[in-house]
Amino acid sequence: MLDVRKLRLLRELSHRGTIAAVAQALAYTPSAVSQQLAALEREAGVPLLHRTGRRVALTPAGTQLAVHTEAVLADLERATAALAASREVLTGHLRIGAFSTAMRTILPAALVTLGRDHPGLDLTVRELDPANVADALRTDQLDLGLISAYDYVPVEPDPALETTPLLVETMYLASTRSTTIVDCRAASWILASPETLCHTMTVRACQAHDFTPRARHHADDFATVLALVAAGQGVAFVPELGAADPPAGVVLTALESRRRTFVAYRRGTGEHPAVVAGVSALRQVCSGLVPGF
Amino acid sequence: MLDVRKLRLLRELSHRGTIAAVAQALAYTPSAVSQQLAALEREAGVPLLHRTGRRVALTPAGTQLAVHTEAVLADLERATAALAASREVLTGHLRIGAFSTAMRTILPAALVTLGRDHPGLDLTVRELDPANVADALRTDQLDLGLISAYDYVPVEPDPALETTPLLVETMYLASTRSTTIVDCRAASWILASPETLCHTMTVRACQAHDFTPRARHHADDFATVLALVAAGQGVAFVPELGAADPPAGVVLTALESRRRTFVAYRRGTGEHPAVVAGVSALRQVCSGLVPGF
DNA sequence: GTCGAGCATCAGTTCAGCTTACGGTCGTCG
DNA sequence: CGACGACCGTAAGCTGAACTGATGCTCGAC
């Protein structure tokens, strides 16, 4: 019988690529991961990963085994969900991860609803860039994660996760005057921190218009971004929710581009009562937030 | 994360009913099983089995968890099957269990075929009453098991197993003269050993004709049974394959009743190359055995 | 050439899980 | 009706799997 704990390491390796990263993600030492994978390989009787110098890569058999592991883990999640559903009252933890705008605009109301309807549920919220949500869900650091996708940065489907759509927002170009993206090719841009989704989005959107944005400031919070725009420090992309209450002097130009927000959860947890409650609370809040949705 | 080893104990408990039986089946002490189930219950946070005096019974939550366990174990079987399929040449063990008639009539030819086509496959055959095949498959003592079902003893579907039909045989009433079941109500009967499927079948069939067979001899092998019939020691039911070469003096009366033979294997192993090879060899042999099939 | 990132191996330690022994609870049979 | 046996649970001790930390190797970057 294959050991699920070891399979989980293999699955995580297929996502992260290095043993060191797997070890860090699952709070092990690289040595432990290496030993466990070696043991799994021995039990499997087939090479699962081939060493190329100082790196490792999955063999086809290893990739295939990782795919099968997704099914096993999803079934185990379904089993725990059924156990939770068999309890009469909803208790336990629900850990939600959200990007900063959602943190301010969506979550407070959702938390109130959840706290009222399910007083036995311990709610924990963590601010997290969408780029890290999938990893955090997979490694069981989170139960629900809000992710957003831009037209230029589609969300890549993760076999370990399921998603439910929450919101579609219009994107705006924030400036001190009415303008277009192309007219801002020489302007200063206010970007988010590197490695974040917003940063990637701005760069990709500008590249689609054949230029690279010249970064003058870095700010992750859209309220801060708009304050900088109002101060004449540059232009920026902001989504509808981030531009709810723009400071004086900021002109918002609606774009064709859209931002889509989803809530993601581990495959198999969709029937878990805590997840059901969380998703429906988020949907409820979002349906009252953007008129057109 | 639920522990699959413990879940397996729960699954087995749902089939066998007592902790002692689970322990014996899986080569543990009852104490170990009890401890593991207690730990599983603690981790689940829900009562899984309630103690009634000196016995235990699964709660609804426990039963439900056992059902989910079937899916997990089937996925794990699929994973190992995929690993085996990724090897270029078929190696390893294939353990086949069969009732005695099949052992003589079907298996020899199938073993020859398998040995020729897959020299790397270690074949092990074990004689086993169909009543015990399901347990042996579940506890991983067997990979393929031949089971037979009579009209009066249908095979109960086991969620842990899959089956493929192999044969349909005519049942015969063996006597020294042409007769009917009802006419034999006062006759001596040759029965198989108690607790075996053949024994159950004969008793049920007679009960369907409103009498209980009077047992004079007990014999499991149909060749022996027919020898006893020829010696005037009684009458008996025999299937087509068991009556291939009847001794002189035995009259076989065809009945409406049929015997259906299947090959069973653990759910998820249907794609395992060794199982595929074994099933197809058995099908091939059986298709050449009974003309009408 | 040197450094650092990444992986494997070895030795030591910890802890989960097994066995053995024992006690409690019930049905059963003499 | 008492003794026995079947069955389950608990306590104590032991074994082996698995993790950590130290060390060595390989390879790419500067």
Side-chain angles (χ1 to χ4, degrees):
Chain A
M1 185 67 53
L2 292 167
D3 181 3
V4 177
R5 296 176 64 259
K6 300 193 180 91
L7 288 175
R8 207 161 77 100
L9 296 179
L10 184 73
R11 193 267 295 252
E12 210 53 34
L13 181 64
S14 80
H15 283 285
R16 311 218 178 215
T18 76
I19 289 182
V22 173
Q24 196 189 352
L26 300 179
Y28 290 136
T29 58
S31 171
V33 176
S34 176
Q35 290 178 47
Q36 290 302 300
L37 288 175
L40 178 64
E41 209 164 1
R42 202 177 331 119
E43 293 160 16
V46 174
L48 299 176
L49 29 97
H50 53 91
R51 282 76 178 168
T52 66
R54 59 178 185 179
R55 300 190 69 84
V56 294
L58 290 185
T59 62
T63 307
Q64 202 179 9
L65 188 55
V67 170
H68 281 280
T69 302
E70 303 285 6
V72 174
L73 294 174
D75 276 333
L76 282 171
E77 292 287 3
R78 272 185 271 274
T80 61
L83 282 177
S86 75
R87 309 190 57 142
E88 61 291 344
V89 64
L90 187 49
T91 57
H93 268 79
L94 181 65
R95 298 158 301 173
I96 308 176
F99 47 92
S100 62
T101 314
M103 201 83 173
R104 274 205 321 274
T105 55
I106 302 174
L107 278 188
L111 291 178
V112 168
T113 304
L114 278 173
R116 174 168 39 82
D117 295 349
H118 307 286
L121 196 60
D122 285 340
L123 297 167
T124 309
V125 172
R126 185 175 136 201
E127 185 171 330
L128 194 66
D129 191 79
N132 302 321
V133 162
D135 284 348
L137 283 170
R138 267 205 320 277
T139 54
D140 202 24
Q141 299 169 357
L142 232 52
D143 301 307
L144 286 179
L146 292 182
I147 54 179
S148 48
Y150 300 92
D151 289 352
Y152 297 110
V153 192
V155 51
E156 64 199 46
D158 188 321
L161 304 180
E162 291 176 82
T163 58
T164 300
L166 287 180
L167 272 182
V168 179
E169 296 167 70
T170 304
M171 290 296 295
Y172 292 95
L173 176 58
S175 177
T176 50
R177 59 192 179 81
S178 186
T179 180
T180 66
I181 298 180
V182 181
D183 285 344
C184 291
R185 61 187 317 138
S188 297
W189 283 78
I190 300 165
L191 295 184
S193 307
E195 301 294 308
T196 66
L197 196 69
C198 285
H199 180 93
T200 312
M201 176 271 295
T202 305
V203 171
R204 293 261 182 90
C206 291
Q207 281 172 345
H209 291 83
D210 291 324
F211 71 98
T212 301
R214 190 164 52 83
R216 183 152 164 201
H217 299 292
H218 286 273
D220 291 323
D221 188 89
F222 286 121
T224 311
V225 168
L226 289 180
L228 288 171
V229 171
Q233 298 298 303
V235 299
F237 290 127
V238 291
E240 200 168 342
L241 280 183
D245 206 14
V250 172
V251 176
L252 297 171
T253 310
L255 304 172
E256 286 300 311
S257 186
R258 295 285 179 276
R259 175 167 89 160
R260 283 160 227 287
T261 300
F262 304 85
V263 55
Y265 37 90
R266 280 185 299 285
R267 191 168 294 278
T269 62
E271 301 294 319
H272 195 294
V275 171
V276 170
V279 170
S280 75
L282 288 169
R283 282 180 66 91
Q284 186 184 326
V285 169
C286 288
S287 69
L289 215 56
V290 176
F293 188 64
Chain B
M1 186 68 52
L2 292 167
D3 181 4
V4 177
R5 296 177 62 259
K6 299 192 181 91
L7 288 175
R8 206 160 77 100
L9 296 179
L10 185 73
R11 192 268 294 252
E12 210 53 35
L13 182 64
S14 81
H15 283 285
R16 312 218 179 214
T18 76
I19 289 183
V22 173
Q24 196 188 355
L26 300 179
Y28 289 135
T29 58
S31 171
V33 176
S34 176
Q35 290 177 47
Q36 291 300 301
L37 287 175
L40 178 63
E41 209 165 1
R42 202 177 330 119
E43 293 160 17
V46 174
L48 299 176
L49 29 96
H50 52 92
R51 282 75 177 169
T52 65
R54 59 178 186 180
R55 299 190 69 83
V56 293
L58 289 186
T59 62
T63 307
Q64 203 179 9
L65 188 56
V67 170
H68 281 280
T69 303
E70 303 286 5
V72 173
L73 294 174
D75 277 332
L76 282 171
E77 292 287 2
R78 272 185 273 274
T80 60
L83 282 176
S86 75
R87 310 192 57 142
E88 61 291 343
V89 64
L90 187 50
T91 58
H93 268 78
L94 181 66
R95 298 158 300 174
I96 309 176
F99 47 91
S100 62
T101 314
M103 201 84 173
R104 274 204 321 275
T105 55
I106 303 174
L107 279 188
L111 290 178
V112 168
T113 304
L114 279 172
R116 172 168 40 81
D117 295 350
H118 308 286
L121 196 61
D122 285 341
L123 297 167
T124 309
V125 172
R126 184 175 136 202
E127 185 171 329
L128 195 66
D129 190 79
N132 302 320
V133 162
D135 285 347
L137 284 169
R138 268 205 320 276
T139 54
D140 202 25
Q141 299 168 355
L142 231 53
D143 300 307
L144 287 179
L146 293 182
I147 53 180
S148 49
Y150 299 93
D151 289 351
Y152 297 110
V153 192
V155 52
E156 64 200 47
D158 188 321
L161 304 180
E162 292 177 81
T163 57
T164 299
L166 286 180
L167 272 182
V168 179
E169 297 167 70
T170 303
M171 291 295 295
Y172 292 95
L173 177 58
S175 176
T176 49
R177 59 192 178 80
S178 185
T179 181
T180 65
I181 298 180
V182 181
D183 285 343
C184 291
R185 61 187 315 139
S188 298
W189 284 79
I190 301 164
L191 295 185
S193 307
E195 300 294 309
T196 66
L197 196 68
C198 285
H199 180 93
T200 312
M201 175 272 294
T202 306
V203 172
R204 293 260 183 91
C206 291
Q207 281 172 345
H209 291 81
D210 292 324
F211 71 99
T212 301
R214 191 163 54 83
R216 182 153 166 200
H217 299 292
H218 287 273
D220 290 323
D221 188 90
F222 287 121
T224 311
V225 169
L226 289 180
L228 289 171
V229 172
Q233 299 297 304
V235 300
F237 291 128
V238 291
E240 201 168 342
L241 281 183
D245 207 13
V250 171
V251 176
L252 297 172
T253 309
L255 304 173
E256 285 300 309
S257 187
R258 295 285 179 277
R259 175 166 91 160
R260 284 160 226 286
T261 299
F262 303 85
V263 55
Y265 37 91
R266 280 185 299 284
R267 191 167 293 278
T269 62
E271 301 293 318
H272 195 294
V275 171
V276 170
V279 170
S280 75
L282 288 169
R283 281 181 66 90
Q284 187 185 325
V285 170
C286 289
S287 70
L289 215 56
V290 176
F293 188 63

